[in-house]
Amino acid sequence: MSTGDITNLLQGGIFQVLTMAAPLLLSALAVGLVVAILQAATSIQEQTLTFVPKIAVILIVLALFGGVGFASLGNYTIELFGRISQMR
């Protein structure tokens, strides 16, 4: 197995992690930004106000896109197991 093959495996793994985490992180970022703007506009500085909407949105996004992400992860894992015989 050459250095290029190892690099491709690592690149695929990093891409897989990013594609699974990006929807969750971006939705939490957007909700956090909206809540922060609302808190600044209304002078409500409740600490727990930011957590409940973020958790709700993360759960909704995970329910919507979780199947696609885990199917992609399963395909990547099957591809990796298929390459085991080629590794030396």
Side-chain angles (χ1 to χ4, degrees):
M1 178 168 241
S2 69
T3 307
D5 293 335
I6 294 171
T7 304
N8 287 336
L9 287 175
L10 289 174
Q11 184 180 17
I14 291 170
F15 181 74
Q16 192 65 40
V17 168
L18 288 176
T19 56
M20 287 188 69
L24 297 172
L25 294 175
L26 291 175
S27 63
L29 177 70
V31 169
L33 183 63
V34 168
V35 169
I37 290 172
L38 289 175
Q39 280 184 330
T42 60
S43 298
I44 298 174
Q45 297 302 323
E46 180 64 32
Q47 295 293 327
T48 59
L49 186 62
T50 60
F51 294 114
V52 175
K54 280 184 190 179
I55 290 173
V57 167
I58 286 174
L59 289 176
I60 291 169
V61 169
L62 189 59
L64 292 175
F65 297 112
V68 175
F70 285 115
S72 175
L73 180 64
N75 291 337
Y76 180 70
T77 304
I78 290 169
E79 179 187 335
L80 284 180
F81 284 141
R83 288 180 149 186
I84 287 176
S85 64
Q86 301 170 358
M87 295 179 188
R88 289 187 163 226

